[in-house]
């Protein structure tokens, strides 16, 4: 039989790493939950048309989508990002605005897989629909900033830009097209191709041959309408007021076509430049209408779970949570005592594991050590006959004691087996 493996660009997350993963999402939920955001869960697949609305010139839609026909002949796709589904849900359910939601889950892109770039990757994110206020942009950016701080990350750089209103963006795109076209064939073929579909996206090119032409390109800032410029100034003022350092990055356009006005990205400086974007977002004021809803402004961000954890590793922060079992039950008398004891301890709210298959004392004690539990609760034939349980500390030293069977829970709770976090 050929060896079966996870598909290219996907990974299994096993314990204990999965505990860290879950804590990551837990910290995020706490930070944004405390700011009034509720969780929204949308399907992992949607009708293909939902994603087409986010932009025909977006590579994640044109080239990288996992699209397929279902058994009913419908064109569907696995979601390549989170915003489209959330906006589709908003249009479908019309909740009261401002609608402040957060989400987490996997996205799918047929990318060239490498470290920090996967075909299935998780994100956490928030969206606010129905608020035009520049201070809402500040809140959204500040929450990402606060989340990074909660993880312990220190080397994150915030880049911000404004893409202007739809009209500004159009005029800028025309100026960029003229600029790049003036170089004829000097632009790489890939960028010439991008130029035909969306001149802004040429600015995203990381190809060295494109660099000089990108550096000489006109800047978005010179094309902002008075209203867009004013909006941007208020956002920057708000960031300053909150003490959040930022760099204005006039060539930051980001991947998706629907961004308008405020756009931002977070770069983890502890990671290699090619893979250091740990998150980003911006305003997408036209998207709700594009999906068939009423004109409604929107803003949000998505942060890559995998890549942010790589950044945590690089900075040596947000390590694996400590094992937190209170007790491990070792029973060499057949297992019936372990069954009852484990059930009682768990019912009392303690975190308890046990051995199976009536293994030897040595083997069960090994398992107890490996489990990271605070104490082993040991029942051999002597203890069974005497109606006692031996409590042996596994962490932090101390002597073992024999405790009457009926007092075990009290003893475990009283001696503070429950680790203080
Ligand atoms: P995007 O939706 O492209 O704006 O991406 C937002 C964040 O998701 C990025 O900053 C990355 O951290 C993460 N991300 C995007 N694509 C991938 C991928 N293929 N593999 C891992 N993380 C990704």
């Amino acid at each position: 039989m050929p060896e079966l493996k996870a598909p290219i660009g996907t990974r299994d997350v096993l314990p204990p790493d999965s505990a860290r993963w879950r804590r990551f999402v837990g910290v995020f939920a706490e930070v944004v939950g405390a700011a009034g955001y509720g969780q929204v869960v949308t399907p992992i697949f949607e009708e293909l048309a939902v994603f087409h609305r986010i932009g025909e010139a977006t590579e994640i839609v044109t080239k990288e989508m996992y699209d397929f026909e279902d058994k009913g002949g419908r064109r569907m796709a696995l979601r390549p990002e989170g915003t489209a589904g959330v906006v589709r849900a908003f249009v479908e359910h019309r909740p009261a605005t401002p609608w402040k939601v957060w989400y987490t889950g996997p996205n799918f892109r047929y990318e060239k897989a490498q470290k920090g770039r996967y075909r299935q990757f998780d994100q956490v994110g928030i969206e606010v629909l129905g608020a035009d206020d520049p201070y809402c942009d500040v809140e959204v950016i500040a929450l990402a900033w606060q989340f990074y701080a909660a993880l312990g990350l220190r080397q994150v750089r915030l880049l911000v830009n404004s893409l202007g209103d739809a009209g500004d963006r159009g005029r800028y795109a025309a100026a960029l097209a003229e600029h790049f076209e003036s170089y004829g064939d000097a632009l790489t073929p890939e960028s010439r191709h991008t130029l035909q579909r969306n001149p802004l996206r040429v600015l995203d090119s990381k190809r060295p041959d494109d660099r000089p032409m990108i550096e000489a390109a006109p800047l978005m800032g010179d094309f902002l309408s008075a209203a867009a410029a004013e909006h941007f100034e208020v956002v920057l003022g708000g960031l300053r007021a909150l003490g959040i350092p930022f760099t204005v990055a006039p060539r930051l356009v980001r991947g998706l076509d629907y961004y308008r006005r405020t756009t931002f990205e977070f770069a983890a400086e502890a990671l290699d430049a090619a893979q250091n974007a740990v998150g980003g977002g911006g305003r997408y004021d036209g998207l709700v209408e594009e999906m068939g809803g009423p004109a409604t402004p929107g803003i949000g961000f998505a942060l890559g779970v995998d890549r942010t954890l790589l950044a945590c590793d690089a900075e040596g922060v947000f390590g694996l949570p400590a094992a937190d079992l209170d007790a491990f039950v070792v029973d060499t008398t057949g297992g019936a005592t372990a069954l009852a004891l484990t059930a009682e301890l768990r019912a009392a709210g303690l975190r308890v594991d046990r051995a199976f298959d009536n293994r030897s004392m040595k083997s069960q004690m090994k398992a107890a050590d490996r489990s990271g539990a605070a104490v082993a609760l040991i029942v051999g034939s002597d203890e069974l006959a005497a109606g006692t349980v031996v409590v042996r500390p596994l962490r932090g030293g101390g002597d073992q004691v024999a405790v009457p069977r009926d007092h075990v829970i009290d003893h475990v709770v009283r001696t503070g087996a429950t680790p203080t976090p």
Side-chain angles (χ1 to χ4, degrees):
M1 278 251 287
E3 203 182 336
L4 296 176
K5 288 194 167 155
I8 293 171
T10 70
R11 284 140 325 120
D12 302 308
V13 183
L14 308 181
D17 291 334
S18 48
R20 185 185 186 214
W21 188 284
R22 209 179 51 203
R23 197 154 71 89
F24 182 97
V25 177
V27 170
F28 184 76
E30 230 156 78
V31 168
V32 298
Y37 291 71
Q39 186 177 8
V40 59
V41 181
T42 65
I44 281 177
F45 62 94
E46 299 267 359
E47 281 179 41
L48 185 62
V50 169
F51 303 116
H52 276 161
R53 304 287 160 82
I54 63 182
E56 309 281 352
T58 299
E59 279 189 4
I60 65 170
V61 173
T62 52
K63 283 208 208 136
E64 299 175 354
M65 205 136 65
Y66 279 88
D67 51 345
F68 58 96
E69 192 168 290
D70 75 7
K71 293 186 197 307
R74 301 172 198 90
R75 296 294 300 166
M76 313 299 282
L78 301 184
R79 66 175 177 218
E81 56 92 55
T83 305
V86 173
V87 171
R88 195 268 311 134
F90 173 81
V91 170
E92 186 170 333
H93 303 287
R94 304 285 168 100
T97 56
W99 196 47
K100 306 204 330 182
V101 291
W102 69 271
Y103 61 84
T104 183
N107 301 305
F108 305 84
R109 297 180 191 174
Y110 196 80
E111 301 214 57
K112 207 164 148 221
Q114 52 190 286
K115 190 173 181 194
R117 185 169 293 281
Y118 311 105
R119 291 183 177 171
Q120 175 176 336
F121 61 94
D122 274 63
Q123 288 180 335
V124 292
I126 63 175
E127 313 288 352
V128 183
L129 286 151
D132 197 48
D133 191 332
Y135 287 139
C136 177
D137 308 26
V138 178
E139 170 170 303
V140 166
I141 295 172
L143 283 171
W145 194 254
Q146 201 185 324
F147 174 59
Y148 290 132
L151 294 177
L153 282 173
R154 281 189 204 89
Q155 300 168 45
V156 179
R157 211 149 74 94
L158 164 62
L159 307 169
V160 281
N161 192 19
S162 174
L163 297 178
D165 293 313
D168 308 345
R169 193 177 155 139
R171 285 187 296 122
Y172 180 51
L176 274 182
E178 194 178 320
H179 167 78
F180 287 123
E181 274 158 11
S182 73
Y183 288 93
D185 287 351
L187 217 56
T188 59
E190 293 91 337
S191 288
R192 286 207 301 277
H193 187 63
T194 309
L195 184 59
Q196 297 314 314
R197 291 177 303 154
N198 183 350
L200 267 72
R201 296 295 315 281
V202 177
L203 298 177
D204 273 347
S205 162
K206 299 267 185 308
R207 290 172 282 271
D209 290 350
D210 291 329
R211 236 31 264 172
M213 289 158 274
I214 290 175
E215 287 190 355
L219 295 179
M220 183 67 232
D222 297 329
F223 291 79
L224 293 187
S225 63
E230 161 76 11
H231 184 100
F232 193 44
E233 276 313 310
V234 178
V235 173
L236 299 184
L239 292 173
R240 280 188 206 105
L242 295 185
I244 298 175
F246 61 83
T247 308
V248 174
R251 292 190 179 83
L252 176 70
V253 292
R254 297 197 26 83
L256 305 180
D257 290 353
Y258 52 71
Y259 283 107
R260 299 272 180 275
R261 293 193 276 174
T262 312
T263 180
F264 53 93
E265 206 160 272
F266 297 96
E269 308 208 294
L271 295 179
D272 290 345
Q275 240 61 255
N276 75 355
V278 284
R283 280 209 164 267
Y284 44 85
D285 294 341
L287 189 60
V288 175
E289 269 173 295
E290 195 61 35
M291 294 263 187
T296 309
I299 180 166
F301 66 66
L303 315 179
V305 177
D306 317 69
R307 226 178 274 174
T308 307
L309 286 175
L310 287 176
C312 289
D313 291 341
E315 286 199 36
V317 298
F318 198 71
L320 284 180
D324 58 354
L325 281 181
D326 298 312
F328 191 98
V329 179
V330 169
D331 174 2
T332 56
T333 66
T337 305
L339 177 71
L341 203 52
T342 306
E344 282 168 34
L345 289 158
R346 287 178 185 161
L350 294 164
R351 301 171 57 87
V352 182
D353 195 6
R354 55 160 293 179
F356 288 110
D357 294 329
N358 204 26
R359 301 225 173 139
S360 69
M361 175 64 81
K362 194 171 157 206
S363 152
Q364 292 196 37
M365 280 310 299
K366 232 191 206 162
D369 277 330
R370 248 199 332 258
S371 76
V375 295
L377 304 177
I378 307 165
V379 183
S381 44
D382 291 352
E383 286 77 25
L384 188 64
T388 59
V389 173
V390 168
V391 181
R392 181 185 296 176
L394 296 174
R395 287 191 245 138
D399 294 330
Q400 68 175 43
V401 284
V403 176
R405 170 75 175 74
D406 294 345
H407 295 176
V408 173
I409 293 180
D410 269 1
H411 181 88
V412 173
V413 171
R414 201 160 30 76
T415 55
T418 307
T420 39

